[in-house]
Structure formats: structure tokens, C-alpha cells
Amino acid sequence: MKQALLVVDVRSCFDPPRWQIDGIKQLAQTMHSIATVERHVEDVTPFWRQLGWIPSLDDDPLVATDKVFVKHGFAPPGELIDHLKNAGVQRVLVCGIQADTCCLADGFLLFDAGLHPTTLKWLTVRSSPDRTAELGARLWLHHFGQKSVMDHANDLRR
């Protein structure tokens, strides 16, 4: 099954841990990789109006990937799905920031497009202070099935 890596919101404004950045960088070198970055447009996504928060306007991904897609809101743009399908990708390995929101939103879009979303739990954190991805992993298992969560790098062999 052809796969690609999707790196979600690993940018300085979310203060990702060094171990996460280093682990994603290492994995991104082994396969086709894509990153998403939020570019805020209040008329498109009401972050300020509803959440009182505005994403940084110039905060680029901290991991070099083959391609970067700009998104507005939690989910990735439709062009990302087209890109993956045109490349013949079937399984998308998702890692990054906010396991239970942005990464999960990507999972829903990937699933609805007929792809196999799989979260890389060891390379995914929340943006909140506890930093665990437990809730996100439980949600992935519930929505996408038993093979949708990889707990460790050794799981990549399956």
C-alpha cells in the first residue's frame, strides 16, 4: 500500500517539543511528505470572532516536506486530497499538533475521500499543556478502526 506522511501544524507558534520535530524530520526523509500551515483569513474561518485567537500569519512549518498546503481552519484544503490521489497514495500517516482537533479533522477528510488515515501517536501531541495524544488516539480508533493508530515507530512495518 503506497503511503505518504502528512505533517499537521508543526510550527513555532504551537511550541512543538524538539523530540517531535526531530522524529518527524527523520521520517519525512523516508517517504513522500506533505505539511499543512494555517493562514488566517477571518472571513473564511472565524478564529478571532469565536475563539479569541488568531494564528500567526508568517509561521512556516518547522519540518521540510516535499509540498506545503495552506489551510484555513481545522481541515486541510481539497487540493491536498487531489494531490494524494494523483500520486497514487492509499494510506496517509498523520502526525503533528492537536491530535484531537486538527489532526482528527484531517483524518475525517482523508477517510471521506476513500484514503486510509493512520495517526502516528508517538509523533503527535496536543497543543494543551498535558501534550499527550491519548484522546486523539481513542477518537481515531473509534472513527477509523483498529489499524488507524500506530503507537511506535516499529508499527510502520505492518
Side-chain angles (χ1 to χ4, degrees):
M1 182 181 297
K2 187 171 181 183
Q3 58 189 19
L5 179 67
L6 175 57
V7 182
V8 180
D9 290 333
V10 177
R11 345 176 338 201
S12 60
C13 72
F14 289 123
D15 193 27
R18 185 84 240 162
W19 59 261
Q20 181 191 35
I21 296 167
D22 292 343
I24 294 171
K25 281 181 179 179
Q26 184 178 8
L27 185 58
Q29 295 172 5
T30 68
M31 67 183 71
H32 183 64
S33 58
I34 300 161
T36 58
V37 63
E38 172 71 37
R39 291 293 181 243
H40 180 65
V41 178
E42 187 69 19
D43 293 341
V44 176
T45 305
F47 278 116
W48 180 253
R49 210 169 49 248
Q50 287 188 255
L51 303 176
W53 177 76
I54 295 176
S56 176
L57 296 176
D58 60 355
D59 202 10
D60 290 323
L62 295 174
V63 175
T65 58
D66 299 315
K67 190 153 180 70
V68 176
F69 286 90
V70 171
K71 65 180 187 167
H72 300 285
F74 293 107
E79 295 84 25
L80 183 142
I81 297 297
D82 295 338
H83 174 80
L84 292 169
K85 286 188 167 189
N86 289 337
V89 171
Q90 297 151 321
R91 178 166 70 175
V92 182
L93 306 175
V94 180
C95 62
I97 305 291
Q98 297 197 32
D100 51 343
T101 53
C102 293
C103 292
L104 185 61
D106 287 24
F108 285 126
L109 190 67
L110 295 165
F111 181 84
D112 287 350
L115 299 168
H116 299 276
T118 303
T119 187
L120 304 179
K121 186 176 166 188
W122 79 97
L123 293 176
T124 305
V125 298
R126 292 187 57 195
S127 60
S128 61
D130 73 2
R131 294 293 207 186
T132 71
E134 280 303 317
L135 175 59
R138 287 195 319 266
L139 290 168
W140 277 74
L141 286 170
H142 173 75
H143 291 293
F144 310 126
Q146 289 294 45
K147 294 182 181 179
S148 69
V149 174
M150 292 186 183
D151 292 307
H152 308 284
N154 292 340
D155 294 339
L156 288 169
R157 294 185 184 96
R158 66 175 187 192

